[in-house]
Amino acid sequence: MKNTAKLLNGAQFTIAAAEPRQWPPEPAAEVAFAGRSNVGKSSAINTIAGRKGLARTSKTPGRTQQIVFFDLGGGARLVDLPGYGYARVPDRLRAGWAVLIERYLSEREALRGLILVMDARHPLTELDRNLLEWCEPAGRPVHILLTKTDKLSRNQAKQTEMKVAQAVSELENEVTVQLFSSLKRTGVEQAREKIGTWFGDR
Ligand code: GDP
């Protein structure tokens, strides 16, 4: 998996796209990250890529419409989908978010897999379930990162992992689950391995 670490480490910001027509051209191979605001998505992207300032935290409502693309070279990209569930986002923006994300997840040819970041203390919120639903019909594989596990005991974390794995086992697409912590850097290799598989270890 050294190659994947190297590939991810070379990520270059390409565009923060406010509209689908700004999405970079296909064919390409993209791995996207999604998750509730404040769940630790940016930290997870930075930890997995081994690059501190790569993904910025998206705490302002204006960012809810932007999809950020990072080039890895050779047509591979990381994609940071806007956070959601931000309390102060007006309904109008929230609806726009849903349309945009559903479109990306269901139509984007380049999408190889979605990393869905959840807080291990509050997994499978309604919005998380929406994201899973949008990936299922198109058969997109999803890898769930249960992050901030440093806030749980080892036993609690294991229990949560099992519960979530059980809950998603009925879905028709491939959905896998792992424990993660950006703070303690746990699960980093496992996440890179999954991403490497999706990129076909290029
Ligand atoms: P985002 O809004 O989902 O991109 O979340 P951020 O990556 O900005 O993280 C939100 C907050 O959670 C920040 O205060 C981070 O320092 C904290 N955080 C992120 N990952 C972890 C983690 O693995 N463990 C702990 N304890 N805190 C984390």
Side-chain angles (χ1 to χ4, degrees):
M1 282 306 127
K2 261 210 179 109
N3 286 347
T4 307
K6 207 168 148 198
L7 179 78
L8 295 171
N9 194 251
Q12 294 284 342
F13 171 83
T14 310
I15 189 172
E19 293 182 36
R21 63 179 168 80
Q22 298 175 301
W23 295 353
E26 300 185 273
E30 293 173 352
V31 169
F33 285 74
R36 285 177 60 88
S37 297
N38 224 28
V39 80
K41 173 168 59 77
S42 307
S43 305
I45 293 173
N46 293 342
T47 305
I48 290 167
R51 293 267 304 278
K52 263 189 178 161
L54 188 66
R56 303 266 194 80
T57 53
S58 47
K59 302 237 158 40
T60 51
R63 286 287 312 277
T64 58
Q65 305 274 5
Q66 288 181 353
I67 297 184
V68 184
F69 293 83
F70 300 96
D71 251 307
L72 302 173
R77 295 184 197 117
L78 288 186
V79 179
D80 186 6
L81 298 174
Y84 53 93
Y86 186 79
R88 275 178 283 160
V89 171
D91 284 351
R92 174 177 53 82
L93 280 185
R94 216 184 282 250
W97 173 87
V99 170
L100 187 73
I101 303 298
E102 183 175 8
R103 177 157 170 196
Y104 178 85
L105 293 177
S106 58
E107 292 178 16
R108 184 71 167 169
E109 289 277 331
L111 182 61
R112 294 284 182 272
L114 177 73
I115 304 277
L116 178 49
V117 186
M118 299 181 194
D119 187 323
R121 296 165 301 174
H122 319 281
L124 289 172
T125 63
E126 196 185 337
L127 286 160
D128 293 328
R129 291 173 192 273
N130 290 341
L131 280 162
L132 286 166
E133 273 167 29
W134 295 335
C135 289
E136 194 182 10
R140 310 289 198 195
V142 179
H143 186 65
I144 297 174
L145 282 193
L146 295 169
T147 193
K148 304 195 187 181
T149 49
D150 53 277
K151 302 232 186 203
L152 296 177
S153 71
R154 192 187 286 263
N155 202 21
Q156 284 172 318
K158 267 281 159 213
Q159 293 280 344
T160 307
E161 185 183 17
M162 275 167 52
K163 264 192 211 151
V164 173
Q166 174 70 35
V168 299
S169 64
E170 308 271 292
L171 298 171
E172 290 192 3
N173 52 336
E174 182 199 308
V175 183
T176 45
V177 187
Q178 75 154 97
L179 301 174
F180 190 86
S181 162
S182 295
L183 193 75
K184 298 275 186 202
R185 304 187 48 81
T186 41
V188 179
E189 281 313 309
Q190 194 183 344
R192 284 182 184 155
E193 198 164 318
K194 177 55 88 173
I195 293 169
T197 314
W198 283 343
F199 279 137
D201 286 324
R202 56 178 68 205

